[in-house]
Amino acid sequence: MVEQTVVSRDSPGHPGHPLLLAVVGMAQLLVVVDTTIVNIALPSARQALGMSEMAAQWTLTAYTLAFGGLLLLGGRLADRWGRRRALVTGALGFAFASCLGGTAGDAAELIAARAAQGVFAALLAPATLSILAVTFTEPAARLRAYSALSAIAMSGSAVGLLAGGALAQFLDWRWCLLVNLPPAIATAVGARASLPAMAGESRSRLDWTSAAVGGGGIAVLAYALSGATDAGTAPRLGLLAVGLALLTVFGIRQHVVRNPLLPLSIVADRTRGAACVSIVATGFGMFGMFLFLTFQLQDVLHFRPLVTGLAFLPFVVANVVAATWLTRRLLPHVGVRSLLAGGMLVLAVGLALLTRLAGDTPYWTLIAPAEVVLGVGAGLSVPSAINRATAGVRPRHSGMAAAFATTSQQVGASLGTAALNAVALSAAGTSAVSGYGVASGWAAAVVACAAVIVALLAGRTPRPSEVESRAPTQL
């Protein structure tokens, strides 16, 4: 039996202490920002290190593959080690990997450092969500915590573009990696100060076979959907088949082993399933949008890197306001299902607006208003989705539920980036911009259809006013 620390209400480790939420938010920001902060600086890094086009693509893909492939294992390790240890280890490892990348002398060192960042991000992300799941059990406090975290999760990509543009323009591309050191170290120190000693399941047996099969399946799918391979349609379809086969074997194994890596009860719940469908669809639309708008702003409107980052501020502001203010006021009156489906429909409207993109489209009359609508849609649906995806799970499985939710977002982002980019290229014709419009229309249709599925799947869930508060679970 692992001894558990009792936390007084006046100590920094008490669930109500704002330092805890700040630490968790900073950890989440590290994970999300690094999916995009290197993008704008990549041309400078490529020139400085003499990188090939394939090596430049692998600089982005290495992070995604390591992160997505190891998320399930990271969630299980968070449950096994205890969440504070997982958070501190992930933050310090992330700082070390960022330092290696920022001082890289060639392309191989940079790619290896990005892969190491993904490894430690796969430990950080489930730990942050599971800490919220077992700490904020009172409905109103839980909604506030998840609203803040989802605002960070959805706006972090845009913040990464802004930070990457500023650093690349005024300093050097290396600072896009070195900038992670202060917040990562602050996260580790803050976790030690704000989180109590956490009980883990150190006696439970870790199923390494499931970790290899499941992680391998996700990594193969991510690789097939990324731009890292241009071998053609047939090899790509072969990789997709291999990835799906590995995930099928993984699912069967979870049904028969004694200590499954991902208990099937986590995936079987209808409301949790609807939440994960929402997360996948939102990631599908949002990450495709970031890609096309970045191309539109830089290649068509010829914005400088910093201005490109600033151009995403309407989305960031709308997303933060909707996630932290509007969602909390609507949920007691309309319920989770309406927020999930309604937010996705608003998101689909924002994507539909981008079908009007053209070579002479002014920023203020179309792009900025579309960003506001997209920000509101994501701000309404994502907090409720993340909340429901981790609700009602036993504390000892909270890391796995968090990992499953984060994996859903990664799958959606990979699908959106790959599928919508393929649509845009095939529909480009004489102008790349026309392809962006067609792809945005497909994204809107996919998100709208997913909203209908979510509404049918979720059923009615209790509103916060109808849910009895439970006693907080100590970490």
Side-chain angles (χ1 to χ4, degrees):
M1 176 69 66
V2 179
E3 189 174 339
Q4 206 160 345
T5 301
V6 178
V7 184
S8 69
R9 294 188 61 86
D10 297 327
S11 72
H14 184 266
H17 199 283
L19 179 59
L20 186 149
L21 191 54
V23 167
V24 169
M26 193 179 300
Q28 181 73 8
L29 190 63
L30 276 173
V31 172
V32 178
V33 162
D34 267 76
T35 61
T36 56
I37 193 172
V38 177
N39 292 28
I40 292 180
L42 194 56
S44 300
R46 181 178 175 181
Q47 184 177 4
L49 299 179
M51 301 169 65
S52 66
E53 183 177 348
M54 180 62 72
Q57 180 60 51
W58 269 104
T59 302
L60 304 177
T61 306
Y63 181 86
T64 305
L65 290 184
F67 183 40
L70 294 174
L71 266 171
L72 294 178
L73 178 60
R76 190 67 187 93
L77 289 176
D79 290 336
R80 180 183 174 88
W81 291 350
R83 296 165 192 90
R84 184 175 74 176
R85 184 183 301 175
L87 192 62
V88 171
T89 303
L92 292 178
F94 199 90
F96 178 72
S98 299
C99 185
L100 289 180
T103 57
D106 56 36
E109 291 180 10
L110 180 59
I111 293 171
R114 288 286 288 166
Q117 281 186 313
V119 170
F120 290 106
L123 191 58
L124 270 176
T128 58
L129 284 181
S130 62
I131 285 169
L132 294 191
V134 302
T135 303
F136 295 90
T137 54
E138 193 275 320
R142 181 183 178 90
L143 180 59
R144 284 195 299 270
Y146 276 97
S147 295
L149 198 72
S150 65
I152 292 172
M154 293 310 300
S155 301
S157 297
V159 172
L161 293 172
L162 173 59
L167 292 169
Q169 185 168 327
F170 295 113
L171 293 174
D172 182 77
W173 68 268
R174 295 181 183 276
W175 285 100
C176 293
L177 292 159
L178 296 175
V179 72
N180 291 320
L181 269 65
I185 293 172
T187 297
V189 173
R192 293 285 300 179
S194 65
L195 301 178
M198 305 179 194
E201 290 185 280
S202 58
R203 294 183 181 180
S204 62
R205 183 176 179 273
L206 189 60
D207 186 2
W208 290 101
T209 301
S210 291
V213 173
I218 294 170
V220 169
L221 283 180
Y223 178 72
L225 294 170
S226 73
T229 174
D230 55 358
T233 303
R236 192 182 294 267
L237 291 176
L239 287 172
L240 288 173
V242 171
L244 292 173
L246 287 173
L247 291 180
T248 301
V249 173
F250 173 79
I252 294 172
R253 182 172 176 82
Q254 302 318 288
H255 184 68
V256 298
V257 296
R258 182 176 180 181
N259 294 309
L261 186 70
L262 177 64
L264 295 182
S265 59
I266 291 177
V267 233
D269 181 80
R270 284 184 57 186
T271 303
R272 190 174 298 115
C276 288
V277 170
S278 176
I279 293 171
V280 170
T282 303
F284 182 95
M286 293 306 303
F287 282 85
M289 179 275 295
F290 282 128
L291 179 68
F292 298 139
L293 285 188
T294 301
F295 290 155
Q296 176 78 10
L297 294 170
Q298 287 193 307
D299 298 342
V300 179
L301 300 181
H302 305 294
F303 284 11
R304 290 172 65 86
L306 177 59
V307 179
T308 299
L310 290 171
F312 284 99
L313 279 180
F315 170 82
V316 174
V317 173
N319 181 250
V320 170
V321 171
T324 61
W325 182 79
L326 189 57
T327 296
R328 290 194 286 121
R329 280 154 180 78
L330 288 177
L331 184 60
H333 304 289
V334 302
V336 173
R337 178 175 61 174
S338 298
L339 275 187
L340 282 175
M344 293 172 68
L345 290 176
V346 173
L347 184 64
V349 170
L351 290 167
L353 289 175
L354 294 179
T355 60
R356 299 171 54 201
L357 283 175
D360 58 350
T361 298
Y363 170 78
W364 290 108
T365 58
L366 176 63
I367 296 176
E371 285 186 25
V372 172
V373 177
L374 290 164
V376 171
L380 291 176
S381 62
V382 175
S384 302
I386 296 178
N387 190 345
R388 293 307 307 167
T390 55
V393 180
R394 294 176 180 177
R396 64 191 182 94
H397 290 154
S398 61
M400 283 311 306
F404 184 68
T406 310
T407 302
S408 299
Q409 187 179 50
Q410 282 296 111
V411 169
S414 296
L415 282 170
T417 302
L420 296 178
N421 190 45
V423 170
L425 288 174
S426 63
T430 58
S431 168
V433 180
S434 61
Y436 302 160
V438 172
S440 297
W442 278 98
V446 169
V447 173
C449 290
V452 175
I453 294 172
V454 166
L456 295 174
L457 188 61
R460 183 181 180 277
T461 52
R463 300 174 185 175
S465 57
E466 302 170 333
V467 180
E468 294 182 3
S469 299
R470 294 179 296 170
T473 304
Q474 292 295 340
L475 295 176

